[in-house]
Amino acid sequence: MARRAETIELAVLGLLHESPMHGYELRKRLNLMLGWGRVLSYGSLYPALKKMLRKHLIEEETQSVTPVTRRPRIVYQLTPAGEREFTQLMSEVGPMAWEDDNFDIRFAFFGRTDMEIRLRVLEGRRSRLQERLDRVQRELAMTQKEVDSYARELQRHGVESVEREVRWLSSLIDAERNPKPVLDEQATGRGELGDDDGVRDGADVSRTAQSSQENEK
């Protein structure tokens, strides 16, 4: 539970870094970010918000009554301490940064980190998945004759999922090290559908993010 709370806190800090939001909007954006398999309830969100209020990472602002709600609406926004905390968390590159939940959130806010940090997190995630893949493949070889066809199919599906993510990460790492203008891909027709759609999409995300950062600078 502690790790999940930290993940929610990082996600809230990142979203409020974009703009102030009320609780309903925060929950909706968090659920989109966390994915359909990890729906966030108000019972998880509001305790996290109260904790962040106590730590002075966020603050409340009461808006005027609206014709729809007929009651004041509370909007949450970052404090200077919250901005510093978000910057600090996004600069960390230890094992927590590439664990399953934290990596997803970190990746969503990659546009706010520099290339060296992005590379270290991506490489750490790839190494962790490769270790997991090697272990599962060894176990598969030893248990192949001991499980039925359905269990083997589930194991195969798991291996293929990890292999796809490793390929995706490798393409992102390559794009970070060798950035190319997005227009180059469009001109060469690489946007066409094919077996490597997922990998190409990942590279496009990284390159587009880099292009946006350069334009902002």
Side-chain angles (χ1 to χ4, degrees), residues 66-79:
T66 68
V68 176
T69 62
R70 297 182 180 276
R71 60 181 180 181
R73 172 180 284 182
I74 295 175
V75 172
Y76 299 92
Q77 58 190 17
L78 278 191
T79 64

Side-chain angles (χ1 to χ4, degrees), residues 13-151:
L13 289 173
L15 289 173
L16 294 183
H17 196 274
E18 297 175 356
S19 66
M21 297 183 190
H22 55 80
Y24 172 78
E25 186 178 5
L26 261 177
R27 180 174 176 265
K28 182 173 67 174
R29 292 285 302 277
L30 283 167
N31 280 330
L32 287 173
M33 186 177 296
L34 293 171
W36 66 268
R38 291 173 285 172
V39 175
L40 183 69
S41 67
Y42 286 115
S44 298
L45 175 59
Y46 282 109
L49 292 174
K50 289 179 180 178
K51 180 181 177 182
M52 295 171 73
L53 285 166
R54 290 195 299 269
K55 293 166 65 177
H56 305 291
L57 300 177
I58 61 174
E59 58 188 9
E60 296 176 333
E61 179 180 313
T62 303
Q63 292 185 339
S64 58
V65 176
T66 68
V68 176
T69 62
R70 297 182 180 276
R71 60 181 180 181
R73 172 180 284 182
I74 295 175
V75 172
Y76 299 92
Q77 58 190 17
L78 278 191
T79 64
E83 292 183 4
R84 291 192 296 271
E85 179 73 5
F86 177 68
T87 300
Q88 173 62 34
L89 290 173
M90 290 298 293
S91 67
E92 294 177 357
V93 291
M96 282 291 291
W98 49 75
E99 294 295 342
D100 292 348
D101 288 348
N102 268 359
F103 174 76
D104 292 347
I105 301 303
R106 288 290 298 272
F107 189 82
F109 300 120
F110 257 11
R112 296 173 178 78
T113 58
D114 62 43
M115 185 186 71
E116 288 302 319
I117 292 175
R118 292 197 300 267
L119 269 174
R120 291 179 67 181
V121 173
L122 289 170
E123 289 170 345
R125 174 68 174 173
R126 183 174 64 176
S127 296
R128 176 61 53 86
L129 288 180
Q130 192 61 58
E131 292 172 2
R132 186 185 301 174
L133 184 61
D134 293 343
R135 183 180 68 252
V136 171
Q137 287 175 330
R138 286 196 303 270
E139 293 172 353
L140 266 176
M142 291 186 292
T143 61
Q144 194 72 15
K145 296 180 180 180
E146 301 174 8
V147 297
D148 64 22
S149 59
Y150 293 102

